[in-house]
Amino acid sequence: MLAVQEKVTSKTKNMGNGLYGLMRVVGLNKGELQIRSGRGWLEYRDGEIKGNYSMSIPLVDLNDHHGTTVDWQLDLSKRVSLAEALNFPEPNLLLERIENETGEHCLRVADFEEGLGTRRSAEQIRNRLANLLSLGARRLTLDFTGVNVVSSSFADEVLGKLALEMGIVSFMGRFDLRGMTPTISAIVNRAISQRIAEGDDRTPGSRL
């Protein structure tokens, strides 16, 4: 119970945000957390903490190594802001790193080179963009300068799905796409229009 409280740590000069931050993330996500250490256990579910100590729980090593496990379950369809979880003050350092001299939050698509071809890598990029918005970025600029082509999978997984989730008007208000070649522009336009027309993968057409 003490270990999951804010600023409690066994080490000097540490913030003590590890288990506290994890519990906050799990709580905001409506997930589950269970910690077992020695013969004690703690469970956090639906905003409620329960714990107990039982002599019937076996130990890994009776003398030296009682053992500790931390198990958490998250709903990956629900985004969680780490800024909200840990109550980070603004401005956020992640946003400061991508802020240019004119105050825009700008990302170079060329820096995503490893994610321009596969859908799985593109999904990680989409989550990164969504997290930046949740951290407080009002508008993100995606600069395609230096990129000659992107895959249809990348365009759909990143821009198509964001446009579907946010709605096309909101998407256009939150993203500025710059420096696209005619080929990339055609690929992106087609991906967004098809994704909106077809809807979500799980329930096609349900978001129209």
Side-chain angles (χ1 to χ4, degrees):
M1 294 292 288
L2 184 63
V4 297
Q5 294 181 26
E6 185 177 12
K7 297 181 180 179
V8 172
T9 178
S10 61
K11 302 176 183 178
T12 60
K13 298 182 180 181
N14 285 56
M15 297 300 294
N17 284 327
L19 290 177
Y20 166 76
L22 177 60
M23 192 175 73
R24 285 277 294 159
V25 167
V26 169
L28 291 170
N29 181 262
K30 306 298 183 184
E32 299 179 8
L33 168 68
Q34 187 175 86
I35 302 173
R36 292 184 177 272
S37 186
R39 291 194 167 102
W41 62 270
L42 177 146
E43 184 178 82
Y44 181 58
R45 181 185 300 175
D46 298 327
E48 181 181 357
I49 298 178
K50 296 187 295 184
N52 209 334
Y53 181 88
S54 174
M55 291 298 295
S56 65
I57 297 177
L59 299 178
V60 176
D61 186 314
L62 184 62
N63 297 317
D64 299 316
H65 305 292
H66 291 186
T68 298
T69 61
V70 181
D71 176 28
W72 68 94
Q73 311 291 329
L74 298 177
D75 184 346
L76 297 184
S77 68
K78 299 177 181 177
R79 297 190 184 97
V80 175
S81 167
L82 288 179
E84 181 182 358
L86 295 178
N87 300 312
F88 286 152
E90 295 294 342
N92 188 278
L93 293 178
L94 289 176
L95 298 182
E96 285 187 343
R97 289 172 187 162
I98 64 171
E99 187 174 332
N100 60 22
E101 61 277 2
T102 62
E104 297 176 313
H105 293 114
C106 184
L107 293 161
R108 295 179 67 253
V109 178
D111 294 337
F112 302 153
E113 185 174 357
E114 74 284 354
L116 298 182
T118 67
R119 187 171 290 273
R120 181 163 185 171
S121 297
E123 181 182 5
Q124 296 175 351
I125 294 171
R126 187 182 80 246
N127 290 336
R128 178 184 174 187
L129 298 179
N131 285 336
L132 290 171
L133 292 176
S134 69
L135 287 174
R138 295 183 180 181
R139 187 174 174 84
L140 289 175
T141 296
L142 299 183
D143 186 357
F144 286 79
T145 301
V147 178
N148 295 321
V149 68
V150 297
S151 68
S152 296
S153 296
F154 170 85
D156 172 60
E157 191 67 37
V158 178
L159 303 174
K161 288 190 176 181
L162 282 172
L164 177 66
E165 293 172 5
M166 301 171 65
I168 188 63
V169 174
S170 178
F171 173 81
M172 294 175 63
R174 302 296 298 277
F175 285 94
D176 181 16
L177 309 181
R178 297 180 184 174
M180 293 192 296
T181 65
T183 299
I184 292 178
S185 181
I187 293 172
V188 169
N189 285 334
R190 180 174 177 81
I192 292 177
S193 61
Q194 282 190 327
R195 174 57 60 177
I196 292 177
E198 295 173 4
D200 188 50
D201 291 335
R202 292 163 295 184
T203 53
S206 65
R207 298 291 298 273
L208 299 180

PDB file of all heavy atoms in Angstrom, residues 157-193:
ATOM      1  N   GLU A 157      -3.155   3.781 -42.238  1.00  0.00           N
ATOM      2  CA  GLU A 157      -3.013   3.481 -40.808  1.00  0.00           C
ATOM      3  C   GLU A 157      -2.821   4.751 -39.985  1.00  0.00           C
ATOM      4  O   GLU A 157      -3.315   4.838 -38.857  1.00  0.00           O
ATOM      5  CB  GLU A 157      -1.837   2.537 -40.588  1.00  0.00           C
ATOM      6  CG  GLU A 157      -1.748   1.957 -39.187  1.00  0.00           C
ATOM      7  CD  GLU A 157      -2.886   1.007 -38.870  1.00  0.00           C
ATOM      8  OE1 GLU A 157      -3.323   0.264 -39.767  1.00  0.00           O
ATOM      9  OE2 GLU A 157      -3.353   1.028 -37.716  1.00  0.00           O
ATOM     10  N   VAL A 158      -2.109   5.728 -40.515  1.00  0.00           N
ATOM     11  CA  VAL A 158      -1.848   6.955 -39.766  1.00  0.00           C
ATOM     12  C   VAL A 158      -2.919   8.012 -40.041  1.00  0.00           C
ATOM     13  O   VAL A 158      -3.700   8.375 -39.174  1.00  0.00           O
ATOM     14  CB  VAL A 158      -0.446   7.516 -40.099  1.00  0.00           C
ATOM     15  CG1 VAL A 158      -0.211   8.820 -39.337  1.00  0.00           C
ATOM     16  CG2 VAL A 158       0.629   6.510 -39.726  1.00  0.00           C
ATOM     17  N   LEU A 159      -2.975   8.483 -41.268  1.00  0.00           N
ATOM     18  CA  LEU A 159      -3.835   9.627 -41.579  1.00  0.00           C
ATOM     19  C   LEU A 159      -5.286   9.219 -41.795  1.00  0.00           C
ATOM     20  O   LEU A 159      -6.207   9.923 -41.348  1.00  0.00           O
ATOM     21  CB  LEU A 159      -3.279  10.343 -42.807  1.00  0.00           C
ATOM     22  CG  LEU A 159      -1.830  10.819 -42.654  1.00  0.00           C
ATOM     23  CD1 LEU A 159      -1.310  11.392 -43.963  1.00  0.00           C
ATOM     24  CD2 LEU A 159      -1.720  11.842 -41.538  1.00  0.00           C
ATOM     25  N   GLY A 160      -5.498   8.097 -42.464  1.00  0.00           N
ATOM     26  CA  GLY A 160      -6.870   7.657 -42.692  1.00  0.00           C
ATOM     27  C   GLY A 160      -7.610   7.363 -41.400  1.00  0.00           C
ATOM     28  O   GLY A 160      -8.741   7.813 -41.189  1.00  0.00           O
ATOM     29  N   LYS A 161      -6.965   6.627 -40.504  1.00  0.00           N
ATOM     30  CA  LYS A 161      -7.623   6.261 -39.249  1.00  0.00           C
ATOM     31  C   LYS A 161      -7.770   7.456 -38.312  1.00  0.00           C
ATOM     32  O   LYS A 161      -8.754   7.562 -37.576  1.00  0.00           O
ATOM     33  CB  LYS A 161      -6.869   5.121 -38.567  1.00  0.00           C
ATOM     34  CG  LYS A 161      -7.057   3.789 -39.280  1.00  0.00           C
ATOM     35  CD  LYS A 161      -6.519   2.620 -38.475  1.00  0.00           C
ATOM     36  CE  LYS A 161      -6.818   1.302 -39.162  1.00  0.00           C
ATOM     37  NZ  LYS A 161      -6.331   0.142 -38.385  1.00  0.00           N
ATOM     38  N   LEU A 162      -6.793   8.369 -38.319  1.00  0.00           N
ATOM     39  CA  LEU A 162      -6.943   9.581 -37.503  1.00  0.00           C
ATOM     40  C   LEU A 162      -8.111  10.424 -38.003  1.00  0.00           C
ATOM     41  O   LEU A 162      -8.891  10.958 -37.211  1.00  0.00           O
ATOM     42  CB  LEU A 162      -5.652  10.397 -37.532  1.00  0.00           C
ATOM     43  CG  LEU A 162      -4.508   9.901 -36.652  1.00  0.00           C
ATOM     44  CD1 LEU A 162      -3.231  10.685 -36.943  1.00  0.00           C
ATOM     45  CD2 LEU A 162      -4.871  10.013 -35.171  1.00  0.00           C
ATOM     46  N   ALA A 163      -8.248  10.538 -39.321  1.00  0.00           N
ATOM     47  CA  ALA A 163      -9.361  11.303 -39.890  1.00  0.00           C
ATOM     48  C   ALA A 163     -10.694  10.667 -39.541  1.00  0.00           C
ATOM     49  O   ALA A 163     -11.683  11.364 -39.255  1.00  0.00           O
ATOM     50  CB  ALA A 163      -9.199  11.411 -41.408  1.00  0.00           C
ATOM     51  N   LEU A 164     -10.743   9.341 -39.538  1.00  0.00           N
ATOM     52  CA  LEU A 164     -11.982   8.646 -39.183  1.00  0.00           C
ATOM     53  C   LEU A 164     -12.322   8.847 -37.715  1.00  0.00           C
ATOM     54  O   LEU A 164     -13.463   9.154 -37.362  1.00  0.00           O
ATOM     55  CB  LEU A 164     -11.847   7.156 -39.484  1.00  0.00           C
ATOM     56  CG  LEU A 164     -13.045   6.278 -39.085  1.00  0.00           C
ATOM     57  CD1 LEU A 164     -14.261   6.618 -39.914  1.00  0.00           C
ATOM     58  CD2 LEU A 164     -12.688   4.803 -39.213  1.00  0.00           C
ATOM     59  N   GLU A 165     -11.324   8.675 -36.836  1.00  0.00           N
ATOM     60  CA  GLU A 165     -11.565   8.795 -35.399  1.00  0.00           C
ATOM     61  C   GLU A 165     -11.952  10.213 -34.999  1.00  0.00           C
ATOM     62  O   GLU A 165     -12.840  10.420 -34.169  1.00  0.00           O
ATOM     63  CB  GLU A 165     -10.306   8.372 -34.631  1.00  0.00           C
ATOM     64  CG  GLU A 165      -9.970   6.898 -34.759  1.00  0.00           C
ATOM     65  CD  GLU A 165      -8.620   6.563 -34.137  1.00  0.00           C
ATOM     66  OE1 GLU A 165      -8.012   7.479 -33.532  1.00  0.00           O
ATOM     67  OE2 GLU A 165      -8.179   5.416 -34.255  1.00  0.00           O
ATOM     68  N   MET A 166     -11.289  11.195 -35.592  1.00  0.00           N
ATOM     69  CA  MET A 166     -11.493  12.580 -35.188  1.00  0.00           C
ATOM     70  C   MET A 166     -12.630  13.257 -35.942  1.00  0.00           C
ATOM     71  O   MET A 166     -13.198  14.247 -35.464  1.00  0.00           O
ATOM     72  CB  MET A 166     -10.196  13.376 -35.403  1.00  0.00           C
ATOM     73  CG  MET A 166      -9.006  12.843 -34.636  1.00  0.00           C
ATOM     74  SD  MET A 166      -7.436  13.638 -35.109  1.00  0.00           S
ATOM     75  CE  MET A 166      -7.760  15.315 -34.566  1.00  0.00           C
ATOM     76  N   GLY A 167     -12.957  12.739 -37.130  1.00  0.00           N
ATOM     77  CA  GLY A 167     -13.859  13.437 -38.025  1.00  0.00           C
ATOM     78  C   GLY A 167     -13.029  14.319 -38.944  1.00  0.00           C
ATOM     79  O   GLY A 167     -12.033  14.904 -38.517  1.00  0.00           O
ATOM     80  N   ILE A 168     -13.438  14.418 -40.200  1.00  0.00           N
ATOM     81  CA  ILE A 168     -12.598  15.078 -41.188  1.00  0.00           C
ATOM     82  C   ILE A 168     -12.392  16.557 -40.867  1.00  0.00           C
ATOM     83  O   ILE A 168     -11.303  17.101 -41.057  1.00  0.00           O
ATOM     84  CB  ILE A 168     -13.200  14.907 -42.608  1.00  0.00           C
ATOM     85  CG1 ILE A 168     -12.216  15.418 -43.659  1.00  0.00           C
ATOM     86  CG2 ILE A 168     -14.556  15.580 -42.719  1.00  0.00           C
ATOM     87  CD1 ILE A 168     -10.915  14.676 -43.710  1.00  0.00           C
ATOM     88  N   VAL A 169     -13.410  17.237 -40.344  1.00  0.00           N
ATOM     89  CA  VAL A 169     -13.274  18.662 -40.031  1.00  0.00           C
ATOM     90  C   VAL A 169     -12.279  18.867 -38.893  1.00  0.00           C
ATOM     91  O   VAL A 169     -11.390  19.723 -38.957  1.00  0.00           O
ATOM     92  CB  VAL A 169     -14.636  19.289 -39.675  1.00  0.00           C
ATOM     93  CG1 VAL A 169     -14.459  20.736 -39.209  1.00  0.00           C
ATOM     94  CG2 VAL A 169     -15.579  19.239 -40.877  1.00  0.00           C
ATOM     95  N   SER A 170     -12.412  18.056 -37.834  1.00  0.00           N
ATOM     96  CA  SER A 170     -11.488  18.151 -36.707  1.00  0.00           C
ATOM     97  C   SER A 170     -10.073  17.780 -37.135  1.00  0.00           C
ATOM     98  O   SER A 170      -9.097  18.415 -36.728  1.00  0.00           O
ATOM     99  CB  SER A 170     -11.947  17.246 -35.570  1.00  0.00           C
ATOM    100  OG  SER A 170     -11.048  17.299 -34.487  1.00  0.00           O
ATOM    101  N   PHE A 171      -9.953  16.750 -37.974  1.00  0.00           N
ATOM    102  CA  PHE A 171      -8.647  16.323 -38.457  1.00  0.00           C
ATOM    103  C   PHE A 171      -7.955  17.453 -39.221  1.00  0.00           C
ATOM    104  O   PHE A 171      -6.771  17.734 -39.005  1.00  0.00           O
ATOM    105  CB  PHE A 171      -8.790  15.096 -39.354  1.00  0.00           C
ATOM    106  CG  PHE A 171      -7.519  14.674 -40.042  1.00  0.00           C
ATOM    107  CD1 PHE A 171      -6.569  13.929 -39.367  1.00  0.00           C
ATOM    108  CD2 PHE A 171      -7.274  15.041 -41.360  1.00  0.00           C
ATOM    109  CE1 PHE A 171      -5.389  13.541 -39.999  1.00  0.00           C
ATOM    110  CE2 PHE A 171      -6.106  14.661 -41.994  1.00  0.00           C
ATOM    111  CZ  PHE A 171      -5.158  13.913 -41.317  1.00  0.00           C
ATOM    112  N   MET A 172      -8.687  18.118 -40.101  1.00  0.00           N
ATOM    113  CA  MET A 172      -8.112  19.208 -40.885  1.00  0.00           C
ATOM    114  C   MET A 172      -7.730  20.393 -40.003  1.00  0.00           C
ATOM    115  O   MET A 172      -6.798  21.135 -40.311  1.00  0.00           O
ATOM    116  CB  MET A 172      -9.096  19.646 -41.966  1.00  0.00           C
ATOM    117  CG  MET A 172      -9.346  18.584 -43.032  1.00  0.00           C
ATOM    118  SD  MET A 172     -10.633  19.070 -44.219  1.00  0.00           S
ATOM    119  CE  MET A 172      -9.881  20.525 -44.958  1.00  0.00           C
ATOM    120  N   GLY A 173      -8.424  20.545 -38.886  1.00  0.00           N
ATOM    121  CA  GLY A 173      -8.111  21.634 -37.971  1.00  0.00           C
ATOM    122  C   GLY A 173      -6.925  21.344 -37.074  1.00  0.00           C
ATOM    123  O   GLY A 173      -6.270  22.270 -36.589  1.00  0.00           O
ATOM    124  N   ARG A 174      -6.630  20.050 -36.869  1.00  0.00           N
ATOM    125  CA  ARG A 174      -5.556  19.677 -35.945  1.00  0.00           C
ATOM    126  C   ARG A 174      -4.262  19.306 -36.662  1.00  0.00           C
ATOM    127  O   ARG A 174      -3.210  19.250 -36.021  1.00  0.00           O
ATOM    128  CB  ARG A 174      -5.993  18.492 -35.067  1.00  0.00           C
ATOM    129  CG  ARG A 174      -7.249  18.717 -34.233  1.00  0.00           C
ATOM    130  CD  ARG A 174      -7.082  19.814 -33.204  1.00  0.00           C
ATOM    131  NE  ARG A 174      -6.077  19.562 -32.206  1.00  0.00           N
ATOM    132  CZ  ARG A 174      -6.280  18.833 -31.106  1.00  0.00           C
ATOM    133  NH1 ARG A 174      -7.449  18.252 -30.893  1.00  0.00           N
ATOM    134  NH2 ARG A 174      -5.307  18.696 -30.212  1.00  0.00           N
ATOM    135  N   PHE A 175      -4.328  19.026 -37.963  1.00  0.00           N
ATOM    136  CA  PHE A 175      -3.136  18.618 -38.705  1.00  0.00           C
ATOM    137  C   PHE A 175      -2.913  19.509 -39.919  1.00  0.00           C
ATOM    138  O   PHE A 175      -3.849  19.864 -40.630  1.00  0.00           O
ATOM    139  CB  PHE A 175      -3.258  17.156 -39.171  1.00  0.00           C
ATOM    140  CG  PHE A 175      -3.059  16.148 -38.075  1.00  0.00           C
ATOM    141  CD1 PHE A 175      -4.144  15.641 -37.380  1.00  0.00           C
ATOM    142  CD2 PHE A 175      -1.786  15.712 -37.726  1.00  0.00           C
ATOM    143  CE1 PHE A 175      -3.972  14.724 -36.362  1.00  0.00           C
ATOM    144  CE2 PHE A 175      -1.602  14.789 -36.712  1.00  0.00           C
ATOM    145  CZ  PHE A 175      -2.694  14.297 -36.028  1.00  0.00           C
ATOM    146  N   ASP A 176      -1.651  19.857 -40.126  1.00  0.00           N
ATOM    147  CA  ASP A 176      -1.230  20.609 -41.299  1.00  0.00           C
ATOM    148  C   ASP A 176      -0.221  19.749 -42.053  1.00  0.00           C
ATOM    149  O   ASP A 176       0.856  19.449 -41.527  1.00  0.00           O
ATOM    150  CB  ASP A 176      -0.608  21.944 -40.871  1.00  0.00           C
ATOM    151  CG  ASP A 176      -0.167  22.778 -42.058  1.00  0.00           C
ATOM    152  OD1 ASP A 176      -0.604  22.483 -43.198  1.00  0.00           O
ATOM    153  OD2 ASP A 176       0.617  23.730 -41.861  1.00  0.00           O
ATOM    154  N   LEU A 177      -0.569  19.315 -43.262  1.00  0.00           N
ATOM    155  CA  LEU A 177       0.287  18.440 -44.059  1.00  0.00           C
ATOM    156  C   LEU A 177       1.020  19.291 -45.087  1.00  0.00           C
ATOM    157  O   LEU A 177       0.402  19.899 -45.956  1.00  0.00           O
ATOM    158  CB  LEU A 177      -0.546  17.352 -44.751  1.00  0.00           C
ATOM    159  CG  LEU A 177      -1.498  16.549 -43.846  1.00  0.00           C
ATOM    160  CD1 LEU A 177      -2.235  15.495 -44.651  1.00  0.00           C
ATOM    161  CD2 LEU A 177      -0.744  15.924 -42.682  1.00  0.00           C
ATOM    162  N   ARG A 178       2.353  19.311 -44.993  1.00  0.00           N
ATOM    163  CA  ARG A 178       3.147  20.175 -45.859  1.00  0.00           C
ATOM    164  C   ARG A 178       4.180  19.382 -46.639  1.00  0.00           C
ATOM    165  O   ARG A 178       4.594  18.301 -46.235  1.00  0.00           O
ATOM    166  CB  ARG A 178       3.882  21.235 -45.033  1.00  0.00           C
ATOM    167  CG  ARG A 178       2.983  22.197 -44.293  1.00  0.00           C
ATOM    168  CD  ARG A 178       3.837  23.197 -43.523  1.00  0.00           C
ATOM    169  NE  ARG A 178       3.013  24.091 -42.705  1.00  0.00           N
ATOM    170  CZ  ARG A 178       3.513  24.983 -41.846  1.00  0.00           C
ATOM    171  NH1 ARG A 178       4.831  25.086 -41.713  1.00  0.00           N
ATOM    172  NH2 ARG A 178       2.712  25.740 -41.143  1.00  0.00           N
ATOM    173  N   GLY A 179       4.616  19.973 -47.740  1.00  0.00           N
ATOM    174  CA  GLY A 179       5.742  19.427 -48.485  1.00  0.00           C
ATOM    175  C   GLY A 179       5.468  18.113 -49.181  1.00  0.00           C
ATOM    176  O   GLY A 179       6.411  17.376 -49.489  1.00  0.00           O
ATOM    177  N   MET A 180       4.203  17.791 -49.459  1.00  0.00           N
ATOM    178  CA  MET A 180       3.888  16.527 -50.106  1.00  0.00           C
ATOM    179  C   MET A 180       4.100  16.625 -51.619  1.00  0.00           C
ATOM    180  O   MET A 180       3.713  17.618 -52.243  1.00  0.00           O
ATOM    181  CB  MET A 180       2.449  16.114 -49.816  1.00  0.00           C
ATOM    182  CG  MET A 180       2.172  15.753 -48.371  1.00  0.00           C
ATOM    183  SD  MET A 180       0.562  14.944 -48.131  1.00  0.00           S
ATOM    184  CE  MET A 180      -0.553  16.257 -48.619  1.00  0.00           C
ATOM    185  N   THR A 181       4.678  15.606 -52.204  1.00  0.00           N
ATOM    186  CA  THR A 181       4.767  15.517 -53.653  1.00  0.00           C
ATOM    187  C   THR A 181       3.373  15.193 -54.193  1.00  0.00           C
ATOM    188  O   THR A 181       2.495  14.735 -53.446  1.00  0.00           O
ATOM    189  CB  THR A 181       5.746  14.407 -54.077  1.00  0.00           C
ATOM    190  OG1 THR A 181       5.210  13.136 -53.652  1.00  0.00           O
ATOM    191  CG2 THR A 181       7.117  14.618 -53.464  1.00  0.00           C
ATOM    192  N   PRO A 182       3.131  15.424 -55.487  1.00  0.00           N
ATOM    193  CA  PRO A 182       1.827  15.059 -56.058  1.00  0.00           C
ATOM    194  C   PRO A 182       1.474  13.594 -55.832  1.00  0.00           C
ATOM    195  O   PRO A 182       0.309  13.252 -55.593  1.00  0.00           O
ATOM    196  CB  PRO A 182       2.000  15.379 -57.552  1.00  0.00           C
ATOM    197  CG  PRO A 182       3.019  16.476 -57.580  1.00  0.00           C
ATOM    198  CD  PRO A 182       3.979  16.141 -56.463  1.00  0.00           C
ATOM    199  N   THR A 183       2.480  12.720 -55.889  1.00  0.00           N
ATOM    200  CA  THR A 183       2.224  11.292 -55.675  1.00  0.00           C
ATOM    201  C   THR A 183       1.764  11.025 -54.248  1.00  0.00           C
ATOM    202  O   THR A 183       0.771  10.316 -54.016  1.00  0.00           O
ATOM    203  CB  THR A 183       3.498  10.474 -55.969  1.00  0.00           C
ATOM    204  OG1 THR A 183       3.871  10.661 -57.330  1.00  0.00           O
ATOM    205  CG2 THR A 183       3.260   8.989 -55.699  1.00  0.00           C
ATOM    206  N   ILE A 184       2.472  11.599 -53.269  1.00  0.00           N
ATOM    207  CA  ILE A 184       2.096  11.395 -51.869  1.00  0.00           C
ATOM    208  C   ILE A 184       0.721  12.001 -51.607  1.00  0.00           C
ATOM    209  O   ILE A 184      -0.110  11.408 -50.915  1.00  0.00           O
ATOM    210  CB  ILE A 184       3.144  12.023 -50.934  1.00  0.00           C
ATOM    211  CG1 ILE A 184       4.466  11.257 -51.026  1.00  0.00           C
ATOM    212  CG2 ILE A 184       2.642  12.028 -49.487  1.00  0.00           C
ATOM    213  CD1 ILE A 184       5.573  11.833 -50.171  1.00  0.00           C
ATOM    214  N   SER A 185       0.464  13.180 -52.164  1.00  0.00           N
ATOM    215  CA  SER A 185      -0.831  13.826 -51.975  1.00  0.00           C
ATOM    216  C   SER A 185      -1.960  12.936 -52.490  1.00  0.00           C
ATOM    217  O   SER A 185      -3.003  12.802 -51.838  1.00  0.00           O
ATOM    218  CB  SER A 185      -0.841  15.179 -52.692  1.00  0.00           C
ATOM    219  OG  SER A 185      -2.085  15.823 -52.504  1.00  0.00           O
ATOM    220  N   ALA A 186      -1.772  12.307 -53.644  1.00  0.00           N
ATOM    221  CA  ALA A 186      -2.796  11.424 -54.205  1.00  0.00           C
ATOM    222  C   ALA A 186      -3.004  10.205 -53.321  1.00  0.00           C
ATOM    223  O   ALA A 186      -4.150   9.770 -53.083  1.00  0.00           O
ATOM    224  CB  ALA A 186      -2.387  10.999 -55.618  1.00  0.00           C
ATOM    225  N   ILE A 187      -1.904   9.633 -52.811  1.00  0.00           N
ATOM    226  CA  ILE A 187      -2.000   8.453 -51.948  1.00  0.00           C
ATOM    227  C   ILE A 187      -2.742   8.799 -50.652  1.00  0.00           C
ATOM    228  O   ILE A 187      -3.613   8.058 -50.191  1.00  0.00           O
ATOM    229  CB  ILE A 187      -0.594   7.896 -51.638  1.00  0.00           C
ATOM    230  CG1 ILE A 187       0.042   7.336 -52.906  1.00  0.00           C
ATOM    231  CG2 ILE A 187      -0.661   6.825 -50.549  1.00  0.00           C
ATOM    232  CD1 ILE A 187       1.500   6.929 -52.735  1.00  0.00           C
ATOM    233  N   VAL A 188      -2.393   9.930 -50.055  1.00  0.00           N
ATOM    234  CA  VAL A 188      -3.014  10.347 -48.797  1.00  0.00           C
ATOM    235  C   VAL A 188      -4.495  10.663 -48.995  1.00  0.00           C
ATOM    236  O   VAL A 188      -5.346  10.235 -48.200  1.00  0.00           O
ATOM    237  CB  VAL A 188      -2.265  11.565 -48.217  1.00  0.00           C
ATOM    238  CG1 VAL A 188      -3.063  12.180 -47.069  1.00  0.00           C
ATOM    239  CG2 VAL A 188      -0.888  11.154 -47.734  1.00  0.00           C
ATOM    240  N   ASN A 189      -4.824  11.403 -50.046  1.00  0.00           N
ATOM    241  CA  ASN A 189      -6.231  11.740 -50.304  1.00  0.00           C
ATOM    242  C   ASN A 189      -7.072  10.485 -50.503  1.00  0.00           C
ATOM    243  O   ASN A 189      -8.192  10.391 -49.986  1.00  0.00           O
ATOM    244  CB  ASN A 189      -6.336  12.635 -51.536  1.00  0.00           C
ATOM    245  CG  ASN A 189      -5.890  14.058 -51.269  1.00  0.00           C
ATOM    246  OD1 ASN A 189      -5.945  14.524 -50.132  1.00  0.00           O
ATOM    247  ND2 ASN A 189      -5.437  14.750 -52.299  1.00  0.00           N
ATOM    248  N   ARG A 190      -6.544   9.536 -51.246  1.00  0.00           N
ATOM    249  CA  ARG A 190      -7.277   8.299 -51.490  1.00  0.00           C
ATOM    250  C   ARG A 190      -7.436   7.495 -50.199  1.00  0.00           C
ATOM    251  O   ARG A 190      -8.510   6.953 -49.922  1.00  0.00           O
ATOM    252  CB  ARG A 190      -6.553   7.464 -52.548  1.00  0.00           C
ATOM    253  CG  ARG A 190      -7.255   6.147 -52.865  1.00  0.00           C
ATOM    254  CD  ARG A 190      -6.569   5.435 -54.024  1.00  0.00           C
ATOM    255  NE  ARG A 190      -7.186   4.143 -54.294  1.00  0.00           N
ATOM    256  CZ  ARG A 190      -8.285   3.960 -54.990  1.00  0.00           C
ATOM    257  NH1 ARG A 190      -8.916   5.013 -55.495  1.00  0.00           N
ATOM    258  NH2 ARG A 190      -8.767   2.759 -55.188  1.00  0.00           N
ATOM    259  N   ALA A 191      -6.378   7.432 -49.388  1.00  0.00           N
ATOM    260  CA  ALA A 191      -6.444   6.669 -48.138  1.00  0.00           C
ATOM    261  C   ALA A 191      -7.485   7.255 -47.194  1.00  0.00           C
ATOM    262  O   ALA A 191      -8.267   6.519 -46.580  1.00  0.00           O
ATOM    263  CB  ALA A 191      -5.071   6.656 -47.470  1.00  0.00           C
ATOM    264  N   ILE A 192      -7.505   8.573 -47.062  1.00  0.00           N
ATOM    265  CA  ILE A 192      -8.469   9.219 -46.153  1.00  0.00           C
ATOM    266  C   ILE A 192      -9.889   9.030 -46.648  1.00  0.00           C
ATOM    267  O   ILE A 192     -10.789   8.672 -45.875  1.00  0.00           O
ATOM    268  CB  ILE A 192      -8.135  10.709 -45.999  1.00  0.00           C
ATOM    269  CG1 ILE A 192      -6.811  10.881 -45.235  1.00  0.00           C
ATOM    270  CG2 ILE A 192      -9.262  11.437 -45.262  1.00  0.00           C
ATOM    271  CD1 ILE A 192      -6.361  12.324 -45.109  1.00  0.00           C
ATOM    272  N   SER A 193     -10.117   9.235 -47.952  1.00  0.00           N
ATOM    273  CA  SER A 193     -11.480   9.107 -48.483  1.00  0.00           C
ATOM    274  C   SER A 193     -11.981   7.669 -48.378  1.00  0.00           C
ATOM    275  O   SER A 193     -13.141   7.429 -48.024  1.00  0.00           O
ATOM    276  CB  SER A 193     -11.523   9.583 -49.937  1.00  0.00           C
ATOM    277  OG  SER A 193     -10.664   8.808 -50.765  1.00  0.00           O
TER     278      SER A 193
END
